[in-house]
Every structure is written in C-alpha cells, then in structure tokens.
C-alpha cells in the first residue's frame, strides 16, 4: 500500500513539475519540506494523533508551508493529509526525488570500505563509476566497515559490486566445503 501511495502521488508531482518546467524548483522545495519534516518529530506526532481531525491537520500543513513552497506542492501535501496518508508523506517526497534523479541521470552510490578513503581515492571511485554507468553525476555516500578486511562494496540502486576480502574468503570457504564433501563421498 505504501509503495502504491508514494508512486501515485510522487508520479503526479513529477508530471506537474515536468509539464510546468519547474522541475528544479520543485526538487528544491521537496528537499526543504523533507528537511522540515525530519527536523520536527513533534509535527509528525501531532499529524499522526488520532484525536486531531483531518481539517485541523490540513490547516496545520497550510499554515506551515503556504507561501514558502509552490501552491501545487501545498495542494499535494494537503491532499495526502486529507486522504489519511500523512505517515507516507516522506516516502512520497523521497519517491519524487528518486524520479528527478533518474530523469537527470544522477546516481546515488553507497561505498563501504574497510578503511577510510582519502579524497583522491574517493575521486577515483566516483570517476570510475561515471565511466562505467549511464549516470552523469553521483551523490556519493561513504561508510567504513572494518569487517570487510579489505576491498569495497558498492551499491547503486539494486546493483551491488562486492570486491571485499570478507566475501572472497566466504566464497573460498564454500568452495573448499564442496571439495571436502566430494572427497568424502568418494571414500570407500
């Protein structure tokens, strides 16, 4: 259900943004709304409270965002609240951002390494990703996981490239187990 809600509303906003030629402006507004929502957990509690009627919730949204973001975005936020989907608000806005990034060929890469990379190494990783993918730009996210032992794991969307030493050792262990099983099967 949540996936359907985010896709339905996110696609609608994306279409309006494209048709109006305001894609970049809407994208900036959506980033701002997401920041405002994430930095104010009290707002989430208030908007999720069952004893506050929808009309009051709509008024709260309008009071906060009207005049600060476009009328179309305020209308979308109001509609989401009216339909009782406030809990899905962030996923709708995140879906919209993902659509914009795909449209603009901006990839998001999550790189995990065993040790912190230098700026030069980070630049080399990003350059290589740009050369080997359709993307023209990347939002890079780096993390360190010493359990990898060495190498790196790169995730872009649902694609994962794992060249970590930990994975290579696991694969080698599985292969050796198969060999031992076969050798045991052949013994009289």
């Amino acid at each position: 259900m949540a996936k359907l809600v985010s896709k339905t509303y996110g696609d609608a906003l994306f279409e309006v943004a494209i048709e109006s030629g305001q894609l970049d402006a809407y994208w900036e507004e959506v980033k701002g709304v997401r920041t405002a929502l994430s930095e104010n957990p009290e707002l989430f509690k208030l908007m999720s409270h069952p004893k506050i009627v929808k009309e009051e919730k709509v008024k709260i949204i309008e009071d906060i965002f009207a005049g600060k973001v476009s009328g179309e975005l305020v209308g979308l936020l109001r509609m989401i609240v009216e339909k009782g989907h406030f809990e899905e608000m962030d996923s709708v806005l995140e879906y919209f951002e993902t659509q914009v990034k795909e449209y603009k060929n901006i990839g998001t890469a999550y790189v995990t390494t065993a040790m912190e990379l230098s700026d030069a190494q980070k630049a080399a990783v990003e350059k290589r990703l740009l050369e080997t993918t359709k993307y023209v730009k990347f939002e890079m996210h780096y993390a360190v996981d010493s359990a990898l032992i060495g190498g790196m794991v790169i995730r872009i969307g649902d694609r994962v490239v794992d060249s970590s030493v930990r994975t290579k050792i696991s694969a080698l262990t599985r292969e050796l187990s198969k060999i031992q099983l076969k050798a045991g099967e052949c013994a009289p």
Side-chain angles (χ1 to χ4, degrees):
M1 176 74 171
K3 185 87 168 167
L4 181 62
V5 169
S6 61
K7 180 173 177 16
T8 302
Y9 291 112
D11 282 343
L13 182 60
F14 183 75
E15 288 176 29
V16 169
I18 293 290
E19 289 172 8
S20 67
Q22 298 289 318
L23 187 65
D24 290 330
Y26 281 24
W27 190 17
E28 287 305 313
E29 289 180 357
V30 164
K31 288 179 193 177
V33 170
R34 287 189 75 198
T35 299
L37 293 174
S38 69
E39 290 177 352
N40 295 291
E42 307 82 31
L43 177 62
F44 187 82
K45 287 180 186 174
L46 182 68
M47 296 299 289
S48 302
H49 199 284
K51 292 191 177 181
I52 298 176
V53 294
K54 284 182 186 176
E55 293 77 16
E56 194 62 34
K57 291 177 182 180
V58 167
K59 182 167 179 2
I60 292 168
I61 289 294
E62 288 175 342
D63 289 347
I64 293 172
F65 296 109
K68 295 178 183 76
V69 298
S70 65
E72 290 82 3
L73 185 53
V74 172
L76 177 74
L77 300 175
R78 185 175 52 239
M79 187 184 321
I80 292 170
V81 171
E82 286 172 350
K83 299 287 185 185
H85 297 299
F86 180 80
E87 291 79 18
E88 308 303 325
M89 182 89 65
D90 190 60
S91 64
V92 169
L93 300 176
E94 180 182 24
Y95 179 86
F96 170 79
E97 283 195 71
T98 301
Q99 293 299 96
V100 172
K101 288 176 191 174
E102 278 300 312
Y103 182 79
K104 292 178 156 282
N105 281 328
I106 299 172
T108 303
Y110 296 90
V111 179
T112 306
T113 56
M115 296 182 287
E116 185 74 33
L117 296 178
S118 68
D119 290 342
Q121 290 170 319
K122 289 177 180 179
V125 169
E126 185 173 358
K127 181 177 185 257
R128 184 71 177 132
L129 290 176
L130 289 169
E131 291 170 353
T132 57
T133 64
K134 67 176 183 172
Y135 298 110
V136 297
K137 184 179 174 186
F138 270 99
E139 287 182 359
M140 302 295 292
H141 301 274
Y142 294 96
V144 174
D145 180 0
S146 59
L148 294 180
I149 304 170
M152 67 178 63
V153 177
I154 302 173
R155 183 172 61 85
I156 301 170
D158 59 355
R159 291 177 39 207
V160 176
V161 176
D162 187 341
S163 65
S164 67
V165 173
R166 176 181 65 189
T167 299
K168 290 177 181 176
I169 290 173
S170 295
L172 187 57
T173 302
R174 283 192 302 276
E175 288 300 314
L176 288 174
S177 295
K178 288 178 186 176
I179 292 170
Q180 288 176 347
L181 285 175
K182 289 180 183 175
E185 292 171 0
C186 295

